[in-house]
Amino acid sequence: MSAPSFEGCQCGSKKVLFLPEATDYIASSPAETLALVRSTEDSEFVQGLQQEARLAKLSINVGIHEPTNNGEKVKNTLIWIDDKGNIVQRYQKMHLFDVEIKDGPTLQESKSVEKGMDILPPFDTPVGRVGLAICFDVCFLTAAA
């Protein structure tokens, strides 16, 4: 996970860059996820985004993994980095995607991801008020309340 660079970016009047869930990495197994996870303070990827946000004077919304306190799972987190490079919002995915398809694949996000507990209120950004949700969260109206 190397530090990103916006070198050559024609940011111009752009105010926010929206990046998807798990932008820092996609692992092939829960064990690999645990091996790769870093705190935001130790993540070269996040620190690189913070630096690029400062240089480009651009806010960044990005999905990352964060370690849990017990180290047995990860957090699926969405962070908002302001144009000064500070992490000013942090949302942890609440609705984990577990599905078992008869005679098909099984996906149990809850086995490797710690469920978030808090819905954040919308907040002011350079492009208006924004609320944070990750993937399956958007299927639940409580996040929009």
Side-chain angles (χ1 to χ4, degrees):
M1 296 176 288
S2 61
S5 172
F6 295 171
E7 187 175 334
C9 172
Q10 301 293 320
C11 294
S13 64
K14 310 308 184 277
K15 297 182 191 285
V16 179
L17 173 63
F18 289 92
L19 297 170
E21 176 181 16
T23 299
D24 53 351
Y25 63 86
I26 298 292
S28 61
S29 69
E32 184 181 20
T33 294
L34 288 173
L36 292 172
V37 71
R38 301 285 180 270
S39 69
T40 54
E41 295 82 13
D42 294 328
S43 169
E44 185 179 328
F45 177 78
V46 172
Q47 290 177 0
L49 286 176
Q50 289 177 287
Q51 178 179 339
E52 293 298 329
R54 281 190 294 275
L55 293 173
K57 295 179 179 37
L58 183 73
S59 294
I60 301 172
N61 184 68
V62 59
I64 62 168
H65 300 88
E66 291 187 288
T68 59
N69 290 336
N70 66 15
E72 294 176 8
K73 294 183 178 184
V74 298
K75 298 175 186 178
N76 185 343
T77 305
L78 194 56
I79 58 174
W80 186 279
I81 301 169
D82 69 12
D83 61 355
K84 295 172 184 62
N86 301 311
I87 297 173
V88 295
Q89 296 287 335
R90 176 182 264 110
Y91 170 76
Q92 186 179 342
K93 186 176 182 179
M94 293 178 64
H95 300 95
L96 305 180
F97 189 71
D98 289 354
V99 65
E100 187 173 331
I101 299 172
K102 184 179 178 184
D103 300 322
T106 297
L107 175 63
Q108 293 186 306
E109 190 174 25
S110 62
K111 284 189 171 186
S112 59
V113 177
E114 179 183 271
K115 176 183 173 179
M117 302 304 289
D118 298 315
I119 297 172
L120 301 178
F123 56 97
D124 292 322
T125 76
V127 293
R129 294 185 56 77
V130 170
L132 301 181
I134 301 172
C135 194
F136 197 47
D137 285 334
V138 301
C139 295
F140 298 87
L141 294 178
T142 54

